[in-house]
Amino acid sequence: REKKGLQEFLAPNFGVRLRRSLDDLGPTFVKFGQLLSTRSDILPEGVLFELQKLQDTAKPMPAVVAQSIIEREFGAPVEEVFASFDPVPLGSASIGQVHRAVLRSGEIVAIKVQRPEAPGRVESDLELMREFADFLDRRFGQRILVDVRSLVAEFETVIRRELDYTAEAEHARRFAANFADTPVVIPNVYLELSTSRILTLQYVEGTRFRDIRPLVLTPSERRRVASMGADAIFRMAFEDGFFHGDPHPGNLLLTPDGDLA
């Protein structure tokens, strides 16, 4: 049935209950909720609004844990690798969290550190999700309008890829090359300070799109920013054939110069 009909089929507080359940179940399910929050072709607007609240809401891991992972990956104390390291994370997500640091050369960087329990937790959670998808398929079949098994299989491919930060580093470098002649800012990657569990990037100043108050921007500025975003999406999809798969407002910045990062 149409999405309007689906909204009537769902309980009035379904979105809230779904968001809270995913949050309680842990980081893998939170990530799945983030994926669903972008699927306006599947879920009605009210449910999407609730799921969007899952973006960057994960509880931070202790700074000492993040530092121990960095030291284990680099084989040296944090104070030897960086001139300074901020123990307070800039943001915390389901797979990892980001800290600000200063290199001994003086450059400011953002260090993405993978949670130590992430790989094992992802594997066990994926098994539960597959079992639940099988149950939904047997119990409701086509009544739920979505091929749940295929949706979980797609998510499994995505989240396994996200566990390998070397792939993300290579993607960032490819994006930087593709957008070199545009106002789109892609952070530089420090390969010598990146591993499969650590990703060190250029620190980019800016305001996240979800924190921008639209009325602060003039109508012409709003049009220019919207045009930049649309141009970037069209370029990725129709020219480069290589696109950002998670462009939610928490992943986009507006720099002080007015560029899109």
Side-chain angles (χ1 to χ4, degrees), residues 36-53:
L36 291 178
S37 75
T38 66
R39 297 298 299 269
S40 58
D41 57 322
I42 295 176
L43 295 171
E45 184 177 349
V47 177
L48 295 176
F49 175 77
E50 285 297 329
L51 293 181
Q52 287 167 4
K53 297 178 182 179

Side-chain angles (χ1 to χ4, degrees), residues 65-86:
V65 175
Q67 291 175 354
S68 67
I69 294 171
I70 293 172
E71 292 176 347
R72 184 163 62 249
E73 290 292 305
F74 294 153
V78 168
E79 56 270 20
E80 289 185 10
V81 180
F82 305 106
S84 68
F85 177 86
D86 189 348

Side-chain angles (χ1 to χ4, degrees), residues 71-136:
E71 292 176 347
R72 184 163 62 249
E73 290 292 305
F74 294 153
V78 168
E79 56 270 20
E80 289 185 10
V81 180
F82 305 106
S84 68
F85 177 86
D86 189 348
V88 180
L90 294 170
S92 184
S94 53
I95 300 299
Q97 69 186 38
V98 179
H99 289 263
R100 187 177 183 273
V102 179
L103 302 183
R104 296 203 166 274
S105 59
E107 297 162 286
I108 303 175
V109 296
I111 309 163
K112 185 175 179 180
V113 185
Q114 187 175 116
R115 295 175 180 272
E117 75 280 5
R121 183 66 182 270
V122 164
E123 290 302 324
S124 60
D125 286 350
L126 285 174
E127 184 175 352
L128 288 175
M129 293 177 74
R130 287 191 294 266
E131 292 177 359
F132 186 58
D134 290 342
F135 165 76
L136 289 178

Side-chain angles (χ1 to χ4, degrees), residues 10-215:
L10 298 174
N13 63 342
F14 174 78
V16 175
R17 290 166 56 198
L18 178 60
R19 171 179 58 80
R20 289 175 177 173
S21 296
L22 293 172
D23 207 9
D24 289 342
L25 285 167
T28 310
F29 289 88
V30 168
K31 194 70 180 178
F32 187 62
Q34 292 172 359
L35 171 66
L36 291 178
S37 75
T38 66
R39 297 298 299 269
S40 58
D41 57 322
I42 295 176
L43 295 171
E45 184 177 349
V47 177
L48 295 176
F49 175 77
E50 285 297 329
L51 293 181
Q52 287 167 4
K53 297 178 182 179
L54 293 171
Q55 297 167 358
D56 294 330
T57 59
K59 181 180 179 180
M61 61 180 163
V64 291
V65 175
Q67 291 175 354
S68 67
I69 294 171
I70 293 172
E71 292 176 347
R72 184 163 62 249
E73 290 292 305
F74 294 153
V78 168
E79 56 270 20
E80 289 185 10
V81 180
F82 305 106
S84 68
F85 177 86
D86 189 348
V88 180
L90 294 170
S92 184
S94 53
I95 300 299
Q97 69 186 38
V98 179
H99 289 263
R100 187 177 183 273
V102 179
L103 302 183
R104 296 203 166 274
S105 59
E107 297 162 286
I108 303 175
V109 296
I111 309 163
K112 185 175 179 180
V113 185
Q114 187 175 116
R115 295 175 180 272
E117 75 280 5
R121 183 66 182 270
V122 164
E123 290 302 324
S124 60
D125 286 350
L126 285 174
E127 184 175 352
L128 288 175
M129 293 177 74
R130 287 191 294 266
E131 292 177 359
F132 186 58
D134 290 342
F135 165 76
L136 289 178
D137 190 58
R138 292 194 306 269
R139 179 67 176 81
F140 299 104
Q142 295 184 348
R143 289 173 56 197
I144 56 175
L145 316 175
V146 180
D147 184 348
V148 183
R149 289 178 175 176
S150 295
L151 189 63
V152 170
E154 175 187 351
F155 172 70
E156 182 174 350
T157 299
V158 171
I159 198 166
R160 286 186 191 279
R161 189 181 300 132
E162 287 195 17
L163 288 171
D164 182 5
Y165 286 176
T166 58
E168 185 173 346
E170 182 53 39
H171 294 165
R173 296 181 72 203
R174 184 171 172 182
F175 275 125
N178 290 347
F179 284 93
D181 59 344
T182 75
V184 176
V185 178
I186 309 295
N188 295 326
V189 179
Y190 293 82
L191 288 179
E192 69 280 7
L193 292 174
S194 298
T195 69
S196 62
R197 299 187 63 191
I198 302 288
L199 181 61
T200 303
L201 300 167
Q202 170 194 2
Y203 180 80
V204 178
E205 292 279 358
T207 304
R208 286 187 294 187
F209 269 47
R210 73 176 190 183
D211 296 329
I212 295 175
R213 295 171 56 195
L215 296 181

